[in-house]
Amino acid sequence: MKSEQITRREFVSAATFAAASALALKNSIAAEPRGVKVPKIDTHLHCFAGTDSEKFPYHAKAPYRPTALATPEHLLSCMDAAGVDYAVVVHPEPYQDDHRYLKHCLDIGGGRLKGTILLFSDRPGSLEKMPDLCQQMDVIAVRVHAYVPDRLPPFGSKELRHLWKMATELNLAVQLHFEPRYADGFEPLIKEFPETTVLIDHMGRPFQGTPQEHSKVVKWSRFPNTIMKLSSIPTTRQYPHRDIQPTIRELTNAFGAERMMYGGGFGADTTGESYQQAFARARSLLSHLSENEQNQILGGTAKRILRFG
């Protein structure tokens, strides 16, 4: 059992070691020989059984209820057509902490799919499911939402710290989906658990906060255990109709290809062609990077950090 406390000296030592390791990793990635195949990995997608499913119904507390089916069979078909090797099924909020459909998806995936779980530190009995879920399925992270006032974790509480500690002991990452204004609530735990990988969903939602609020998320790059996810990439057709390219450049400068990973492009209406186009668009937004660095973000980083293959 790990100690409940970490001294300042221990934290500085761990952070220094992690920073040195990250630098060595960056150098090794930069030196990767040409011709080595890097897998294509989608690190962020949702599957839904739909509103008519009796076997996998949505939870009574579901904040939304998609009607269209996005099944693992359809996902695998699209992956084959688009040349996507692996994917992460992110357990969505409509199922809350009922993970039966996620298990079904990963079983169908036959080793090509991993999952993230969703548990609630302020709900009695929810966190206690974590060890069994890790035994039943190939899961890589537990997700925490801080997204609008009625969907917040208990910031500053022993319960949220307990979730982080359990994830650490079970070798899970903590996956954060949040609006930038809530970044301050997570930072103390990122500091306290420097050995725990933290996945930052959707670039930290840069357009759902002020530049000042999002700058706090960008500065998390100083913590070597943080990984930025290039997912849910907005277009200029979406509000607030801003170009995402400068933000992506800022994030790649801050985190580097060795600490960024791509996710996106799959849904109920996805085809093999549209899935391939989603990866192509992501690559085009990374045109300021070398081909090798682009490949790391589109699969190499996920292969290493999320233990694919």
Side-chain angles (χ1 to χ4, degrees):
M1 183 70 68
K2 296 182 181 179
S3 169
E4 291 279 354
Q5 303 294 327
I6 181 168
T7 66
R8 176 176 176 81
R9 178 177 295 177
E10 288 170 337
F11 170 73
V12 172
S13 177
T16 301
F17 175 78
S21 299
L23 179 59
L25 175 63
K26 183 173 183 178
N27 291 335
S28 70
I29 288 174
E32 184 177 331
R34 289 185 177 274
V36 174
K37 183 182 184 301
V38 179
K40 287 172 67 175
I41 302 176
D42 180 355
T43 65
H44 200 105
L45 62 93
H46 301 303
C47 286
F48 300 102
T51 51
D52 295 331
S53 175
E54 295 182 0
K55 187 175 182 181
F56 303 111
Y58 292 138
H59 196 278
K61 295 184 178 180
Y64 62 99
R65 298 171 180 270
T67 57
L69 278 64
T71 67
E73 291 88 352
H74 179 50
L75 168 62
L76 292 169
S77 175
C78 292
M79 288 171 63
D80 289 340
V84 178
D85 299 283
Y86 304 105
V88 177
V89 181
V90 176
H91 182 74
E93 286 186 285
Y95 295 105
Q96 296 288 284
D97 57 0
D98 178 353
H99 293 82
R100 288 176 293 171
Y101 192 56
L102 177 64
K103 185 177 187 306
H104 169 75
C105 293
L106 301 192
D107 288 345
I108 295 294
R112 295 178 67 186
L113 307 179
K114 293 178 184 281
T116 72
I117 56 178
L118 176 62
L119 298 170
F120 300 90
S121 55
D122 53 352
R123 291 186 191 174
S126 189
L127 289 187
E128 284 69 23
K129 299 178 181 181
M130 196 184 300
D132 286 343
L133 291 172
C134 290
Q135 289 290 326
Q136 296 171 22
M137 301 179 290
D138 190 355
V139 295
I140 51 90
V142 56
R143 199 180 196 205
V144 181
H145 291 273
Y147 199 70
V148 306
D150 61 344
R151 290 154 67 189
L152 298 180
F155 287 125
S157 70
K158 63 181 182 181
E159 289 82 9
L160 184 57
R161 183 183 182 278
H162 184 50
L163 178 149
W164 223 282
K165 183 172 181 293
M166 287 186 70
T168 301
E169 292 171 348
L170 291 167
N171 198 28
L172 294 180
V174 176
Q175 182 170 331
L176 303 181
H177 177 218
F178 62 99
E179 293 183 345
R181 56 180 163 156
Y182 300 120
D184 287 341
F186 290 120
E187 190 164 312
L189 291 166
I190 297 174
K191 292 178 180 177
E192 183 180 354
F193 294 92
E195 70 276 30
T196 306
T197 299
V198 176
L199 305 177
I200 305 165
D201 279 350
H202 307 330
M203 300 174 286
R205 293 287 186 184
F207 293 168
Q208 291 177 259
T210 67
Q212 292 74 24
E213 288 169 335
H214 190 251
S215 69
K216 296 179 181 179
V217 183
V218 178
K219 290 176 183 176
W220 281 358
S221 61
R222 71 188 187 277
F223 303 122
N225 57 320
T226 55
I227 307 296
M228 179 60 66
K229 195 182 291 183
L230 184 65
S231 56
S232 193
I233 306 173
T235 71
T236 53
R237 295 189 301 273
Q238 297 169 281
Y239 181 84
H241 312 292
R242 287 163 51 192
D243 181 9
I244 192 63
Q245 182 72 63
T247 300
I248 291 177
R249 186 179 289 271
E250 179 184 34
L251 291 174
T252 56
N253 288 340
F255 288 86
E258 72 281 0
R259 287 170 54 204
M260 292 187 70
M261 57 182 67
Y262 169 73
F266 177 75
D269 298 326
T270 298
T271 65
E273 182 179 3
S274 70
Y275 206 15
Q276 191 171 36
Q277 288 172 351
F279 274 82
R281 179 184 178 234
R283 187 178 290 277
S284 72
L285 292 168
L286 299 170
S287 60
H288 59 287
L289 301 178
S290 70
E291 181 180 358
N292 185 54
E293 289 172 317
Q294 294 172 25
N295 290 341
Q296 295 308 314
I297 295 175
L298 296 176
T301 302
K303 179 180 185 293
R304 171 175 50 84
I305 292 176
L306 305 182
R307 305 181 295 277
F308 276 104

